[in-house]
Amino acid sequence: PTGVLLPKEELEAAAAMCAAAGTWLILDNTYEDFLYEGRSHHTVSGPNVISVFSFSKAYGMMGWRVGYIAYPGQQLLQQAGLEHDNLGEQLSKVQDTIIVCAPQMSQQLALAALQEGEQYVRQGVAGLSHN
């Protein structure tokens, strides 16, 4: 990790450039919760944007292989005039080569972490601010 936090305007400009070029913008949001000095994280959405999220860092689940991908649905793709047959199915093929499925225990703990809410993450990250 570089510690770089791109401003919302730069992310939006990158998404627009990728859209104009007909290519994907893939955003790695693994460190989205590691914010200090009043800074805030932004992500963008659009018919050419895929966002990757992970539980490994903020929730302390390194090696548990739990995360998720946010991608445009078929309706948004069609509204934008893009032809991507079954994008979700295509992404599942990529995921399948990484790990077939996370263990049930990992999935249950990730769900519990989400239900606990942002306070859990904020407390853990706050302890790192002095490093």
Side-chain angles (χ1 to χ4, degrees), residues 2-67:
T2 63
V4 172
L5 181 64
L6 295 176
K8 182 179 181 180
E9 296 77 21
E10 286 186 33
L11 288 170
E12 290 173 350
M17 285 188 286
C18 288
T23 190
W24 293 102
L25 174 62
I26 301 175
L27 300 171
D28 179 354
N29 295 284
T30 300
Y31 289 91
E32 68 177 322
D33 296 301
F34 291 82
L35 303 167
Y36 307 101
E37 301 169 359
R39 299 174 81 191
S40 59
H41 172 266
H42 299 282
T43 192
V44 293
S45 63
N48 65 308
V49 178
I50 296 175
S51 292
V52 180
F53 298 88
S54 172
F55 287 86
S56 65
K57 306 300 185 242
Y59 291 95
M61 298 181 182
M62 289 74 67
W64 293 19
R65 316 312 295 162
V66 180

Side-chain angles (χ1 to χ4, degrees), residues 21 30 39 41 53 56 68 76 93 106 109 115:
T30 300
R39 299 174 81 191
H41 172 266
F53 298 88
S56 65
Y68 58 97
L76 180 59
K93 290 178 184 177
S106 298
L109 289 170
Q115 291 170 336

